[in-house]
């Protein structure tokens, strides 16, 4: 059966016609989802794919420039493109699920059980691939090439680049990786250097359920536009804190394992892991999809296990578990009933891989805990609640005066007491409304974070509409992100109009593309 991530029969017939009748076809994929592009394996005359999503105000101009050869594409995939997206661990437990009570009745409360743990996207595909190559973790007959069509961080160019002089250095707890990039082709272009790291997966981790991805992106830099023959040295930094892993079961804080840590620069997550495997002495003969390059790998050995250094945050706060009670495996009310939940572990891929959606049962006690608190006038005992007075006007406070004050500051009561009952009811229904007596101006808000670029300036004209989030992520360009942030700030500073309106920014949003089937992946 086909899913909507694949071409339907009519689309596939058109693609087949193009492949059969033209020597060089360019496929433009206009979506925010990582489509199943497995069909390309059988269509060799579709020579290139341009992945474009929401392009904003001027993105289509750039697309035309790429097709004309005036612009050299330099983006990278921000997702792993799978030829079997329904085979991912997250897809086994993906959907809309509702708790039932002990009598088997639906409760009206929904849940999601993330049995896949950290193994989402490239962290699943690359980790299981390494374990299959190394013959560990009961990885089974995992076939990376059959699962992945295009890895995370992958991208092509109209020119070619050569990397040399890879080196690393420590300065305190900061590691800096440098590499020289040279344009060896005949077209100007930009290149992306991605820095990945691998932390050791130890016996301690296996015993305590500390999961580790085989490779993790730790940073990236992009060159300027390099003319043919031109070079640029890029430097990427990573802190030792970013190498720590969270131990939720024993230390209940961040730990830094003893053992070998590998650093590599690469053009995709898969190339990075192949580099690390090459440094471990592995090759295609051991089941690798391609030879790696140990010339771009540096190993650092940490002599001692450390559960103290990173157990406090950068501001000195203690880091430890807070929400154990929301884990059905740890919540005392349901853990015995739902002991069947198994979290995916690389210590036993085949034995812990999710088989189907979990079905959780809420005990009566837990249903009662989950019931939302609803207030109704005249119900309950209000004797211990201070009576609220509406329409008090003796305070000079305005909403702007509350900037930076604590949630429980006494001035909040003084402020909201100035509002009448009617204003309060209307405001709860429409938070964008004007409330003159507290200085609350009119606001406008779009539906979701994709409206981050559309603002109203003093002139009344709409501001710049930027590309969607996964499109800007695919630029792998920190300057682009910083520029959008600054320009959005400028738009918001000038968003007031003669109609006394302000614009609400729903952003910036950051979330995991758990599967490519989510309808709002374009916002994250």
């Amino acid at each position: 059966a086909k899913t909507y991530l694949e071409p339907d029969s009519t689309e596939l017939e058109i693609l087949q016609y193009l492949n059969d009748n033209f020597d060089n076809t360019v496929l433009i994929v206009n979506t925010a989802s990582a489509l199943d592009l497995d069909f390309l394996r059988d269509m060799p005359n579709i020579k290139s794919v341009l992945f474009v999503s929401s392009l904003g105000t001027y993105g289509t101009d750039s697309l035309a420039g790429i097709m004309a050869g005036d612009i050299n594409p330099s983006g990278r995939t921000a997702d792993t493109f799978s030829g079997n997206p329904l085979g991912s661990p997250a897809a086994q437990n993906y959907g809309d699920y509702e708790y039932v009570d002990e009598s088997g009745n639906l409760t009206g409360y929904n849940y999601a059980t993330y049995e896949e743990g950290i193994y989402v996207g490239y962290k699943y595909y690359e980790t299981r691939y390494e374990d299959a190559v190394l013959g560990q973790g009961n990885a089974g007959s995992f076939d990376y090439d059959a699962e992945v069509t295009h890895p995370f961080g992958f991208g092509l160019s109209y020119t070619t680049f050569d990397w040399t002089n890879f080196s690393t250095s420590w300065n305190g707890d900061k590691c800096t990786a440098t590499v020289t990039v040279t344009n060896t082709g005949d077209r100007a272009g930009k290149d992306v250097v991605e820095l990945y790291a691998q932390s050791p997966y130890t016996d301690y981790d296996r015993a305590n359920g500390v999961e580790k991805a085989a490779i993790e992106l730790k940073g990236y830099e992009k060159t300027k536009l390099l003319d043919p023959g031109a070079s640029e040295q890029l430097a990427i930094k990573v802190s030792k804190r970013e190498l720590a892993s969270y131990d939720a079961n024993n230390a209940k804080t961040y730990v830094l394992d003893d053992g070998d840590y590998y650093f590599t620069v690469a053009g995709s997550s898969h190339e990075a892991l192949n580099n690390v495997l090459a440094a471990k002495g592995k090759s295609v003969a051991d089941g690798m999809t391609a030879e790696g390059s140990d010339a771009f790998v540096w190993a650092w050995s940490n002599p001692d296990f450390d559960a103290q250094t990173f157990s406090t945050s950068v501001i000195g706060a203690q880091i430890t578990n807070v929400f154990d009670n929301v884990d059905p495996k740890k919540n005392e009310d349901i853990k015995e009933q739902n002991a069947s939940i198994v979290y995916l572990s690389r210590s036993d891929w085949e034995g812990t891989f999710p088989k189907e959606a979990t079905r959780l049962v809420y005990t009566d006690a837990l249903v009662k805990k989950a019931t939302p608190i609803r207030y109704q006038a005249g119900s309950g005992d209000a004797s211990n609640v201070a009576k609220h007075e509406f329409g008090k006007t003796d305070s000079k406070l305005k909403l702007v005066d509350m900037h930076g004050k604590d949630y429980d500051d006494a001035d909040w009561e003084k402020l909201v007491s100035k509002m009448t009952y009617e204003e309060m009811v209307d405001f709860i229904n429409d938070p964008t409304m004007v409330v003159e007596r507290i200085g609350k101006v009119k606001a406008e808000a779009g539906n979701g974070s994709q409206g981050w670029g559309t603002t109203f300036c003093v002139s009344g004209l709409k501001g710049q509409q930027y590309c969607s989030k996964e499109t800007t992520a695919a630029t792998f360009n920190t300057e682009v992100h910083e520029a959008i942030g600054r320009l959005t700030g400028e738009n918001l500073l000038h968003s007031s109009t003669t109609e006394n309106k302000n614009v609400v920014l729903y952003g910036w949003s950051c979330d995991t593309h758990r599967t490519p089937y989510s309808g709002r992946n374009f916002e994250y």
Side-chain angles (χ1 to χ4, degrees):
K2 287 182 177 291
T3 74
Y4 56 77
L5 294 179
E6 301 173 79
D8 62 30
S9 56
T10 302
E11 292 169 328
L12 198 60
E13 186 176 337
I14 294 171
L15 290 166
Q16 190 67 59
Y17 174 84
L18 293 172
N19 174 80
D20 295 344
N21 290 278
F22 297 90
D23 294 332
N24 189 354
T25 298
V26 179
L27 174 63
I28 299 176
V29 178
N30 180 212
T31 178
S33 300
L35 294 190
D36 180 351
L37 301 177
D38 195 51
F39 63 90
L40 292 175
R41 303 181 196 271
D42 300 320
M43 298 185 182
N45 286 330
I46 298 181
K47 298 291 178 61
S48 54
V49 178
L50 277 172
F51 181 75
V52 298
S53 183
S54 302
L55 296 180
T57 306
Y58 297 108
T60 306
D61 294 351
S62 297
L63 176 60
I66 291 172
M67 296 299 294
D70 298 328
I71 296 175
N72 192 347
S74 58
R76 301 280 172 161
T77 53
D79 283 293
T80 298
F81 284 67
S82 173
N84 181 28
L86 284 176
S88 73
Q92 312 315 308
N93 207 1
Y94 179 80
D96 185 13
Y97 304 110
E98 188 174 341
Y99 287 110
V100 296
D101 61 23
E102 292 175 295
S103 300
N105 301 312
L106 295 175
T107 62
Y109 307 119
N110 297 80
Y111 67 91
T113 305
Y114 300 105
E115 287 190 311
E116 71 274 10
I118 69 166
Y119 300 112
V120 176
Y122 78 88
K123 291 184 178 182
Y124 165 64
Y125 296 106
E126 304 301 345
T127 307
R128 190 160 183 178
Y129 163 71
E130 179 182 59
D131 288 347
V133 171
L134 297 179
Q136 63 188 22
N138 192 21
S141 56
F142 181 76
D143 185 344
Y144 184 91
D145 279 338
E147 294 287 336
V148 176
T149 60
H150 301 84
F152 171 84
F154 173 79
L156 297 176
S157 171
Y158 289 153
T159 189
T160 56
F161 297 94
D162 187 38
W163 295 1
T164 55
N165 302 323
F166 171 66
S167 66
T168 58
S169 61
W170 282 101
N171 182 8
D173 281 349
K174 298 280 187 180
C175 175
T176 302
T178 58
V179 64
T180 300
V181 180
T182 302
N183 185 344
T184 55
D186 57 5
R187 301 287 299 276
K190 298 179 181 180
D191 197 18
V192 175
V193 175
E194 303 159 31
L195 175 65
Y196 291 85
Q198 182 185 97
S199 302
Y201 185 52
T202 67
D203 289 339
Y204 175 91
D205 299 329
R206 294 180 180 90
N208 292 287
V210 181
E211 298 300 329
K212 299 279 190 73
I215 207 78
E216 289 186 316
L217 179 70
K218 295 301 181 184
Y220 57 85
E221 289 293 339
K222 195 168 192 173
T223 67
K224 61 186 178 183
L225 187 66
L226 296 177
D227 290 325
S231 299
E232 182 179 358
Q233 185 185 67
L234 297 180
I236 310 170
K237 299 180 183 296
V238 59
S239 68
K240 194 177 290 185
R241 178 178 289 273
E242 294 175 74
L243 303 177
S245 300
Y246 200 80
D247 175 8
N249 299 313
N250 186 39
K252 297 188 176 183
T253 191
Y254 281 100
V255 299
L256 192 68
D257 277 310
D258 54 312
D260 292 333
Y261 290 73
Y262 292 88
F263 298 83
T264 184
V265 288
S268 72
S269 60
H270 195 55
E271 182 181 303
L273 186 52
N274 277 339
N275 288 348
V276 172
L277 286 170
K280 293 180 178 182
K282 300 301 179 180
S283 68
V284 172
D286 299 293
M288 288 173 58
T289 58
E291 301 291 354
S293 175
D294 59 2
F296 292 108
V297 179
W298 176 72
W300 166 69
S301 182
N302 183 37
D304 301 308
F305 177 86
D306 182 359
Q308 297 299 321
T309 303
F310 305 112
S311 64
T312 55
S313 71
V314 293
I315 61 172
Q318 187 67 29
I319 301 173
T320 191
N321 295 10
V322 177
F323 299 110
D324 277 347
N325 66 310
V326 302
D327 183 346
K329 299 286 285 184
K330 296 178 179 178
N331 187 295
E332 294 297 328
D333 289 305
I334 61 173
K335 72 175 185 178
E336 290 185 2
Q337 292 191 70
N338 299 295
S340 60
I341 295 173
V342 177
Y343 294 121
L344 181 60
S345 173
R346 68 179 293 192
S347 64
D348 182 7
W349 289 107
E350 290 284 292
T352 61
F353 194 90
K355 302 296 190 298
E356 60 182 7
T358 57
R359 303 294 177 180
L360 297 186
V361 177
Y362 254 17
T363 63
D364 289 341
L366 207 54
V367 169
K368 187 175 181 179
K369 287 182 180 180
T371 303
I373 299 174
R374 293 184 174 93
Y375 294 100
Q376 183 175 353
S379 65
D381 180 10
S383 60
N384 62 340
V385 179
K387 185 178 180 180
H388 178 79
E389 295 184 45
F390 293 101
K392 295 176 64 175
T393 57
D394 54 346
S395 174
K396 303 296 183 184
L397 280 173
K398 296 288 186 180
L399 183 59
V400 68
D401 298 324
M402 304 307 297
H403 181 72
K405 291 192 176 183
D406 291 336
Y407 176 81
D408 56 358
D409 192 289
D411 279 347
W412 283 111
E413 178 62 26
K414 295 179 182 178
L415 181 78
V416 298
S417 292
K418 297 176 66 175
M419 298 173 65
T420 67
Y421 175 82
E422 290 76 12
E423 285 173 338
M424 185 70 75
V425 171
D426 290 342
F427 179 67
I428 291 173
N429 287 323
D430 179 16
T432 69
M433 67 175 285
V434 175
V435 186
E436 292 184 358
R437 70 180 71 244
I438 64 170
K440 164 69 174 63
V441 299
K442 176 69 176 176
E444 293 190 3
N447 177 20
S449 62
Q450 187 47 40
W452 64 341
T454 305
T455 62
F456 288 85
C457 300
V458 175
S459 64
L461 299 176
K462 285 190 176 182
Q464 169 74 37
Q465 178 66 52
Y466 303 112
C467 297
S468 57
K469 304 298 173 44
E470 92 294 335
T471 305
T472 52
T475 67
F476 276 69
N477 190 326
T478 57
E479 292 181 357
V480 167
H481 291 287
E482 183 176 357
I484 290 175
R486 289 183 179 275
L487 289 170
T488 301
E490 289 292 327
N491 281 347
L492 291 170
L493 285 172
H494 296 282
S495 63
S496 296
T497 71
T498 54
E499 298 177 8
N500 197 29
K501 294 179 182 178
N502 274 353
V503 174
V504 176
L505 175 67
Y506 284 5
W508 278 251
S509 52
C510 184
D511 206 348
T512 301
H513 289 179
R514 189 181 174 214
T515 77
Y517 293 99
S518 172
R520 304 197 78 155
N521 277 348
F522 67 95
E523 292 190 298
Y524 305 102

